[in-house]
Amino acid sequence: MGAAGPVDCHCHLAAPEFERDIEAVLEEAKKAKVLALVVVAEHSGEFEKIIQLSERYPGFVLPCLGIHPVQGIPPEEQCSVTLKDVDAALPLIELYKDRLLAIGEVGLDFTPRFASTDEQKQEQRQVLTKQIQLAKGLDLPLNVHSRSAGRPTINLLKEQGAERVLLHAFDGRPSVAMEGVKAGYFFSIPPSIIRSEQKQKLVKQLPLECMCLETDSPALGPEKQAGVRAFVSVTEQQSEFEEVIDLAERYPESVMACFGIHPIQGSADGHRSVTVQDLEPALPFFEKHKDKLVAIGEIGLDFTPWFVSTSQQREEQQKVFALQLDIAKQLDLPVNVHSRSAGRQTIAFLKEQGIRNALLHNFAGRPSVALEGVQAGFCFSFPPAVTRNDQRAKLIRQIPLKNICLETDSPSLGPKKEERNEPEQIRISCQYIAAVKGVSVETVCEVTTCNALKLFPKVHQRLKE
């Protein structure tokens, strides 16, 4: 007799993204005739929430507890798991052992950002081994993560005698997956398969009797968030560099990293104009992560009088800007540029420095100045805040669509000044530009996407991978 509906074999309902609407999410799943949700944990801080959800939705939310190979909240503090992490969690797992469906999410993650040394990889193996033995002792299956570590994960599972195993969102080669198939392991496939050639090749070779379904929600959906194909994520100061790289590694199909030092810097006394001393300690990071960057930004000039009141400050900004433009030229990368109260100066400086690929974000200068940038081949991007600024409508009318891109500048520059802006509101920019230009939203979306992919060739390359 067939089941009433599908089982989501791997999801993260304890994730912060679901805090505000978890009940609605669960009701929608029921309406979609989902039979059950296998909810996994990543760290011990999620254990209580998962158990509580399983108690509120018995027989529908099925709890798994485990320690993920990557630990840390917030993202910039994430690191490879340690034995201390799992040892601290074991008493809670023991406490709830009779309520568990499986042990998970456990596994190995050899992404270089998290596990760059043999010692880190070995400690991950030790943590996984402890949890495999725990699962065997409790007679429970394992829900397993194996990013950048498909073969090592399968080999360790086999060595430790693990028999009931689900490998979720497996990113290894089909030939490696077949070793798991021979061991009797299952593989769950997320909705992102429709945009992942790797997953499509995998399912062609996996026997259907070895496959399960999953969402890995809130990640790995069929569309990038709100249909957005990629997020070009800029920095303003060095302290943000590692966080952007971490996001790009966690979401390699959508988050595209840029490094840059903004012309206005924060300090204990408020905001101030940038100095060369702000840039110097950041320089080694450009070289270290150069292969992961899609652009240099956010960089530029900001001659707002209350930040920059002297000619010396303006000259210092230009020095910092020039040094970063040199980096962009050396790395053959485009630049993502800020130009508040300095539109003409910024465009002139870019041209003097021989820059060919530049995006002037949220440009607020005169249309005649913008057209100087158009003649140089530069692009201009507009955030949702354009809907509350008549000056931008005049600008958008005169800039050719082939020189326009979309942006949100989130969390700033949303349609409502007092509310946090988010990437999904990029549709507002698209709709507004379409209305001003008198063309369809589809046309604006298609042309601006082509412009962005041309401007950021590394983004184009990664979206094809």
Side-chain angles (χ1 to χ4, degrees), residues 237-351:
Q237 52 198 22
Q238 180 199 328
S239 62
E240 297 176 332
F241 285 10
E242 289 292 346
E243 184 171 357
V244 167
I245 288 297
D246 176 71
L247 284 169
E249 289 177 343
R250 288 170 59 205
Y251 304 98
E253 296 178 340
S254 56
V255 176
M256 311 292 170
C258 307
F259 281 1
I261 300 298
H262 193 280
I264 301 299
Q265 294 290 293
S267 69
D269 299 322
H271 291 86
R272 58 171 176 77
S273 187
V274 73
T275 67
V276 172
Q277 286 70 34
D278 295 314
L279 175 62
E280 286 175 344
L283 293 175
F285 291 90
F286 288 93
E287 178 65 26
K288 178 182 177 182
H289 295 293
K290 61 184 179 182
D291 295 333
K292 300 175 183 177
L293 302 180
V294 302
I296 301 301
E298 182 174 357
I299 63 176
L301 301 176
D302 190 320
F303 291 169
T304 308
W306 51 87
F307 297 134
V308 184
S309 58
T310 68
S311 58
Q312 289 86 354
Q313 289 174 317
R314 288 190 285 272
E315 289 172 4
E316 187 84 355
Q317 278 198 19
Q318 290 173 331
K319 288 179 184 178
V320 174
F321 192 19
L323 287 168
Q324 295 184 94
L325 293 176
D326 285 341
I327 294 171
K329 288 187 283 188
Q330 292 165 14
L331 299 181
D332 193 24
L333 292 175
V335 289
N336 207 317
V337 179
H338 175 103
S339 59
R340 184 169 54 187
S341 300
R344 189 181 298 278
Q345 297 94 325
T346 302
I347 288 174
F349 199 79
L350 288 166
K351 292 163 67 177

